[in-house]
Amino acid sequence: MKIQSALISVFSKDNLEPIVRKLNELGVTIYSTGGTQSFIEGLDVPVTAVEDLTSYPSILGGRVKTLHPKIFGGILNRRDNESDQQEIAEYSIPNIDLVIVDLYPFEDTVTSGAPEQDIIEKIDIGGISLIRAAAKNFKDVTIVASKNEYLPLLSLLEKKGGESDLADRKWFAKQAFDVSSNYDSAIFNWFAEEEEEKSLKISVQESRTLRYGENPHQKGTFYGDLDAMFEKLNGKELSYNNLVDIDYAINLIDEFKGETAVAILKHNNACGCALGTDVKDAYLKALAGDPVSAFGGVIVSTQPIDLAAAEELNKLFFEVLIAPAFAADALELLKGKKNRILLKRKNVALPTSRTKTLLNGFIQQDKDNKTETAEDLKVVTKVAPTEEQVKAMLFAMKVCKNTKSNTIIFANDNQLFASGVGQTSRVDALKQAVDKAKEFGFDLNGAVMASDAFFPFPDCVELADKAGVKAVIQPGGSIRDQESIDYCDANGMAMVTTGVRHFLH
């Protein structure tokens, strides 16, 4: 089907010029209005004003421009329907074979913090109607609903001389409905953002197919714009498991903004985490926490990677390294392993909630954004923790809240000593942490212990005491809290409660 007429009405004019010139070269009649019409006229390309076609001006401050039977009749008429053709002939309605239209930037306006009235004015009416009409009639009409489709359209015009086949038009229609559904979801979510009970509307237009899912026999896809969050400087394509680990790594390292911190994760859990005087120091302390599990892990730093740190990192096989920047000499060294993934993190806002499929639906919750401070701690024992113990407990709890339940964390001097993770009982998690500390040569005498939930029995503090732990941080809230407190009092241990549980499943 040859394109003989086109309606162009867009908000963004970027990269539009080559299309307009090509349409003119092909002898296509162009209709337009407002700023787009002025843009086309500025190119010295003939254009017919929509107002001349409809005999109606743009009214209501531009709210009504293209909403007219001569426009929608030209788009929606079925070329092979005799009745339709008789009607458009009767009312002198010209066919419109190509519609190029985009939508007001509603999401960008919301993100900018604009006042409500400005946001409402960016709810597109004419554009969304044109998109739906042209996409519905894809049998006869080509619809371009986003500047992202400008290049495919230009390629089509050049390769096929202004003609399109049904498969072409159906592809453009699919893209158009992707645009319109995403737009409507964004508007709904803005209206419903303060409601406690609402429909769940998730619409993400960017996606990338992964090599596979959690296992090779599973398909995997990431939905989102990874390029907005990371610049990949080296390495193979990210896998499903890489992405899950990276998510946990980012959540953990963001607990230490403004500090020099390095964390090493494996299967979503930190096997090393420490603060240091520089990145090299922090990394070596983190690595000491479990150098066995660190093999093949994901490493993340709050600070840029310099050469000194890179020389140490280069000694370890790891999958991914994330940092806000890389020194040129450090990057050159680390790129020596072609599959090693190096990600430069960009400053991008992260979601404030978490959503996942469950049974035949979804569940959604706020992210656990509670990070304890010294003011949140309630001393419940006769012995109060020292200032250094308080610092150690707050560090330990940051790691604890980002580790799979049930979890126990041992730490001191801003360094993770050992962890027990993902156990079905808290005492098993504690035993695992004690064994790990011994395996990697950590002396727990004077260390602190953090727990993501309360102790149902005093056995955990008793085992910690025998291992050398002298201070404990935990949420509290068990009906048998006093038994654990009494044990601490009888054995000279300090305990604080936070009142906040940090389950993570």
Side-chain angles (χ1 to χ4, degrees):
M1 180 174 290
K2 190 165 184 64
I3 297 171
Q4 298 181 338
S5 59
L7 171 65
I8 309 176
S9 180
V10 295
F11 187 87
S12 173
K13 316 298 189 299
D14 295 341
N15 300 315
L16 181 63
E17 180 179 344
I19 293 174
V20 172
R21 293 197 182 280
K22 189 64 181 179
L23 291 172
N24 182 52
E25 178 187 320
L26 294 169
V28 175
T29 300
I30 299 176
Y31 302 100
S32 190
T33 186
T36 308
Q37 178 187 338
S38 298
F39 174 82
I40 296 171
E41 289 172 341
L43 300 176
D44 291 327
V45 171
V47 57
T48 300
V50 165
E51 291 87 341
D52 292 341
L53 176 63
T54 63
S55 300
Y56 270 88
S58 172
I59 62 173
L60 305 181
R63 282 189 165 197
V64 180
K65 290 183 286 190
T66 56
L67 296 170
H68 192 279
K70 282 206 170 181
I71 299 297
F72 282 86
I75 295 170
L76 284 166
N77 80 85
R78 292 158 290 189
R79 278 41 167 191
D80 61 356
N81 184 291
E82 185 178 345
S83 175
D84 284 6
Q85 295 309 301
Q86 288 174 352
E87 287 188 67
I88 67 166
E90 179 181 355
Y91 296 108
S92 301
I93 298 174
N95 284 330
I96 296 176
D97 306 316
L98 169 65
V99 175
I100 304 175
V101 61
D102 63 5
L103 300 170
Y104 292 156
F106 177 84
E107 290 178 275
D108 290 344
T109 307
V110 172
T111 302
S112 73
E116 181 177 282
Q117 189 55 43
D118 289 354
I119 293 172
I120 290 172
E121 287 306 315
K122 288 298 184 289
I123 298 176
D124 207 308
I125 303 301
I128 202 78
S129 302
L130 290 167
I131 288 172
R132 292 183 64 87
K136 175 178 179 177
N137 201 27
F138 69 87
K139 185 177 178 182
D140 299 306
V141 179
T142 302
I143 172 63
V144 175
S146 164
K147 61 183 179 181
N148 295 331
E149 274 68 69
Y150 284 1
L151 285 179
L153 174 64
L154 185 59
S155 176
L156 180 71
L157 294 173
E158 290 174 342
K159 290 180 179 179
K160 296 187 177 181
E163 294 187 356
S164 67
D165 58 35
L166 184 60
D168 297 326
R169 297 191 295 278
K170 192 169 185 178
W171 182 84
F172 279 108
K174 179 201 69 172
Q175 299 299 108
F177 282 121
D178 184 22
V179 169
S180 66
S181 63
N182 182 74
Y183 195 76
D184 286 340
S185 293
I187 294 170
F188 168 81
N189 287 331
W190 178 72
F191 274 99
E193 63 184 355
E194 295 183 1
E195 294 183 14
E196 291 189 8
E197 295 185 11
K198 59 184 181 182
S199 301
L200 177 63
K201 298 284 191 298
I202 300 174
S203 180
V204 181
Q205 292 182 281
E206 300 86 359
S207 69
R208 64 174 66 188
T209 301
L210 305 175
R211 297 197 303 273
Y212 49 81
E214 201 162 5
N215 299 291
H217 64 278
Q218 296 170 268
K219 293 181 180 180
T221 305
F222 175 80
Y223 295 95
D225 186 3
L226 273 180
D227 293 336
M229 180 145 191
F230 299 112
E231 179 184 353
K232 187 157 78 72
L233 304 175
N234 189 67
K236 59 187 178 182
E237 289 301 311
L238 290 163
S239 71
Y240 180 100
N241 291 328
N242 288 154
L243 290 168
V244 176
D245 279 336
I246 289 169
D247 181 58
Y248 279 87
I250 293 298
N251 288 333
L252 173 56
I253 208 67
D254 280 355
E255 300 282 351
F256 302 103
K257 289 179 178 178
E259 300 179 279
T260 300
V262 170
I264 308 171
L265 286 87
K266 192 74 170 288
H267 293 297
N268 314 158
N269 295 302
C271 55
C273 185
L275 306 185
T277 55
D278 53 33
V279 176
K280 174 184 174 180
D281 181 50
Y283 166 67
L284 291 175
K285 288 178 179 177
L287 180 64
D290 187 346
V292 174
S293 296
F295 183 86
V298 169
I299 305 174
V300 61
S301 170
T302 57
Q303 302 297 328
I305 304 298
D306 57 17
L307 181 60
E311 288 173 339
E312 292 298 330
L313 286 158
N314 198 47
K315 299 174 184 178
L316 178 72
F317 169 75
F318 59 85
E319 287 274 336
V320 183
L321 173 60
I322 309 162
F326 292 79
D329 49 4
L331 183 60
E332 182 180 0
L333 175 63
L334 293 169
K335 288 173 73 173
K337 301 286 179 64
K338 66 177 183 178
N339 287 331
R340 178 184 280 163
I341 300 169
L342 305 176
L343 299 177
K344 179 181 176 182
R345 185 180 177 186
K346 301 177 184 179
N347 185 21
V348 61
L350 297 175
T352 58
S353 63
R354 299 187 72 88
T355 305
K356 66 178 182 180
T357 59
L358 191 97
L359 300 175
N360 62 340
F362 298 82
I363 53 173
Q364 187 178 75
Q365 65 172 348
D366 296 336
K367 288 184 73 172
D368 184 357
N369 290 322
K370 174 62 179 175
T371 298
E372 283 75 17
T373 64
E375 290 71 30
D376 296 315
L377 308 185
K378 178 182 179 182
V379 179
V380 294
T381 49
K382 294 176 182 177
V383 175
T386 66
E387 184 178 343
E388 290 304 309
Q389 286 175 328
V390 168
K391 291 180 181 178
M393 288 190 290
L394 292 175
F395 171 87
M397 188 53 83
K398 288 178 179 180
V399 179
C400 190
K401 67 170 279 197
N402 290 283
T403 305
K404 292 293 187 73
S405 301
N406 289 307
T407 186
I408 292 291
I409 299 294
F410 292 141
N412 209 359
D413 298 324
N414 291 322
Q415 181 182 15
L416 171 62
F417 281 7
S419 59
V421 303
Q423 299 301 302
T424 52
S425 77
R426 195 153 303 281
V427 71
D428 282 346
L430 193 150
K431 290 176 181 178
Q432 183 189 55
V434 171
D435 289 343
K436 281 227 167 193
K438 291 178 180 178
E439 181 181 356
F440 298 112
F442 285 102
D443 183 0
L444 293 180
N445 284 298
V448 304
M449 176 174 74
S451 175
D452 60 329
F454 63 64
F455 301 117
F457 304 101
D459 50 359
C460 285
V461 290
E462 181 179 352
L463 286 169
D465 174 41
K466 290 177 179 178
V469 170
K470 293 303 177 186
V472 178
I473 181 171
Q474 57 119 346
S478 168
I479 59 174
R480 304 180 71 165
D481 270 351
Q482 194 59 47
E483 294 179 25
S484 294
I485 294 169
D486 290 344
Y487 181 92
C488 290
D489 284 338
N491 292 275
M493 298 174 71
M495 178 183 283
V496 299
T497 58
T498 65
V500 178
R501 189 181 72 185
H502 289 297
F503 272 168
L504 180 64
H505 298 112

